[in-house]
Amino acid sequence: MAFDSGKAGRAPETRGPAGTGYTGPQPFKVDRTLPAPSATVVETLTVQLDDRSYPILIGGGLLQDAAVLGQHVPGRDLLLVSNTTVAPLYSRALEQSLPDRRIVQAV
């Protein structure tokens, strides 16, 4: 009967973060590259529905960016549909970024 050490097909063992003593396989690579503090990183996902297509913007600080919101939310009257968990966290920031809009909440 042969003995299998279990090392075949495994990721190479490397040293872990300094001071941890970990020397096992590294399952992922961490990219610590960050944008400049003043840069707003926005990723756009477009929902394709012919003449009813719309963008979904993904990024930090978007609710406080009145210029971006104004560009993508042209209407004066808005309906904010949310729930009792999310609305208290984000609705005030939206209202402050769009003070000239009439926002009705459906929570």
Side-chain angles (χ1 to χ4, degrees):
M1 176 180 228
F3 176 76
D4 180 9
S5 67
K7 293 192 179 205
R10 289 176 54 187
E13 294 195 350
T14 58
R15 296 199 59 82
T20 65
Y22 179 75
T23 59
Q26 301 296 309
F28 56 86
K29 178 183 175 189
V30 177
D31 182 4
R32 299 190 195 286
T33 305
L34 299 174
S38 61
T40 301
V41 177
V42 179
E43 187 170 338
T44 303
L45 172 70
T46 302
V47 178
Q48 299 291 340
L49 296 172
D50 295 324
D51 62 337
R52 298 177 299 132
S53 297
Y54 59 91
I56 297 174
L57 305 178
I58 304 166
L62 288 173
L63 291 178
Q64 290 80 23
D65 193 334
V68 171
L69 287 176
Q71 177 185 4
H72 292 283
V73 184
R76 182 185 176 282
D77 297 327
L78 307 175
L79 174 63
L80 175 61
V81 179
S82 189
N83 62 35
T84 57
T85 301
V86 176
L89 298 174
Y90 301 105
S91 63
R92 185 167 177 85
L94 179 68
E95 291 171 344
Q96 290 175 342
S97 291
L98 300 172
D100 59 334
R101 311 295 176 90
R102 185 169 53 191
I103 301 173
V104 175
Q105 293 189 34
V107 180

